[in-house]
Amino acid sequence: MPDPAISPELIAAHGLTEDEYARLEGIIGRAPSFTELGIFSAMWNEHCSYKSSKKWLRTLPTEGPQVICGPGENAGVVDIGDGLAVVFKMESHNHPSYIEPYQGAATGMGGILRDVFTMGARPVAALDSLSFGSLDHPRTRQLVHGVVEGIGGYGNAFGVPTIGGELRFDAAYDGNCLVNAFAAGIVAADGVFYSAAYGVGMPVVYLGAKTGRDGVGGATMASAEFDADIDEKRPTVQVGDPFTEKRLLEACLELMASGAVISIQDMGAAGLTCSAVEMGDKGGLGIRLDLDRVPCREPGMTAYEMMLSESQERMLMVLHPEKEDTARAIFEKWDLDFAIIGETIAEDRFVVMHDNATHADIPLRALSGNAPEYDRPWAPTAPPAPLGALPDIDPVEALRALLESPNHAHKGWVWEQYDHTVLADTIRPPGHGAGVVRVHGTDKALAFTADVTPRYVAADPVEGGKQAVAEAYRNLTAVGARPLAATDNLNFGNPEKPAIMGQLVGAVQGIGEACAALDMPIVSGNVSLYNETDGRAILPTPTIGAVGLLERAGEMIGAIPQAGDAALVIGTTAGHLGQSALMVELWGRAEGPPPPVDLDAERRHGQFLRANRDLIRAATDLSDGGLALAAFEMAEAAGIGVALEARGVAALFGEDQARYLVACDDAGAEALLAAAAQAGVPVTRAGRFGGDSVILGGSRAPRAELAQRYRGALAAAIATPSGAHGLARETLRD
């Protein structure tokens, strides 16, 4: 069938503006072929080119003595000592997960794992940050079930522990859920593999699974808003196979050990197009591809389809030619495709051949280096009005309301579907703040967390951006880890709207300020824009994934207090209720300014906690729900009660930053108070753990009754008729 004629409608369908198309024609000096149009569309869309955010991303701190590789590669790489490094990144799979939740989430997990092992690292941990619409929305339950099953189904089968994450519900996500996936792996610090090709005439090799039509146009779809035609986008969702990915992991690591690899790149967004162009561009080389050699699982695939397919479990490699037989034997052993499909060339050209015809001949560096870059107009977010008077409420009744909310109830329904023990190195499971895994064969451990409070960002993007980093810092510190570095997943609406662009700009400014102050450089990340449906944007959700190091796993601070332990608060409690969980869950009021973030206090209080870890039996940071919710969660995990001395809703539920709740025996409490006085760090007694009741300033309730509400609320809220959530998955597979 002949290629369609290039028309204004076809150009618009590929997400290119009139100005961008004119720029394209200026670069190649003629009208493009259909395949060339698809290639430019893929490389110049928001998802691949970061054309709306690049200006602001450059302002983020990305360097430090611990950083081996910052942004620009498949994942960031950070030194953890003793010749080892941690490789990590977070990415979104939002649009595909809304269209087809099981496969969208599963392939999001598969993609982030490939980003890690493409660098030569063996994955050791995964996290997910999930945002869904209101439970009153007709699709929310199906989405929750499908996404959680997809993450668990892929991660469990692949064999990586999912050790933590986030889950939230808000009507702002009704038409556009967020699925942010994080993965980390371990590699020898001098054994990292990169994607830059070098050497003229080197073989370009296709590795892994066969190419099909799934995912064609997926990157372009991810750079557009949703509308009433959403169901037509279902064919752009990829289908994953975790067992093939597991074989691909083992084959790639064996291949890397053989010395055959010059450079290697995951075929992710935009598939063969993006991987080939990035390898050539980073190495200053051109690429010639012969698509007749591409292993396909469907007959009659066109050049356009092969170049834009996002079929999963595939890699592209530039090979040392003398190692071809060795490399081929490895992939044949693992029953995976190995095909030489092209070569590097000296000219700045990206040439695509198929059926003895040239389907693309483009200046390669123009595809990335000449991609549009916009300085979009932006409007700062107006400061919120001061918080008005609040109704009176009994503190225990307020706590009950939080515990019964799916946003703050026990999340076991989610993480119990994930295998968090596979690999046998998990030492802090989900449900207790940051997850922690041993670095196998050493005394070290790594802590991982993912954090953001979208309502803070919506109210004040700069402070909200700071707070996301600060909370990640506290979550790592609370387990005793020294924060090392971060990855970001910036989820926003349409950047062509100045108000939305202002949210992005403010959040990046806040993130950058906090990362610099807390020595947590951004080493990798992802931007997901156009998260809107029918013109309604999500809450701004710049998720921060962060990694911390424990030099000795045995120094990890516990999460569970003992009966009789004193409860102490590190930090100052002013009772800030603006944008608090209490306001939203009890009265449906996202009002007032978010809590201000004092980065100097965050740093000092974190350093103080880590320096005095020997005095502390258990610790948690204070965030959503303030002191009352954190104290209940610690006590509930231990199966005991807690009595807090603070009175008043503000003192109990305020969300002041730079605070930790710690549990110590009496001797430890006295020593901690003395150390705090000497260091000039505010530490106060808050109460005591023990008994069978939860006592909040004189109001009490049986712990068992509150625990029953807390542990059952999420499962009850998302209950769905048997089998209903699986329909979309089975339909796509058929």
Side-chain angles (χ1 to χ4, degrees), residues 274-299:
C274 194
S275 56
V277 169
E278 288 187 359
M279 291 173 79
D281 183 52
K282 291 174 184 176
L285 295 169
I287 299 284
R288 179 183 291 113
L289 298 179
D290 181 356
L291 301 187
D292 294 335
R293 302 177 183 178
V294 171
C296 293
R297 68 168 184 262
E298 299 184 52

Side-chain angles (χ1 to χ4, degrees), residues 80-82 442-445 482 549-553 555:
I80 61 172
D82 297 328
T442 75
D443 292 332
K444 300 177 185 291
R482 174 171 59 87
L549 175 66
L550 285 152
E551 292 289 351
R552 286 170 290 280
E555 293 182 347

Side-chain angles (χ1 to χ4, degrees), residues 391-435:
D392 290 331
I393 188 168
D394 177 85
V396 167
E397 288 305 312
L399 179 62
R400 280 195 180 97
L402 289 180
L403 300 182
E404 292 176 341
S405 163
N407 282 314
H408 307 290
H410 190 263
K411 303 302 191 298
W413 181 89
V414 176
W415 55 257
E416 285 166 4
Q417 298 185 55
Y418 304 153
D419 186 346
H420 60 270
T421 63
V422 65
L423 302 181
D425 281 322
T426 303
I427 56 176
R428 174 72 68 93
H432 300 286

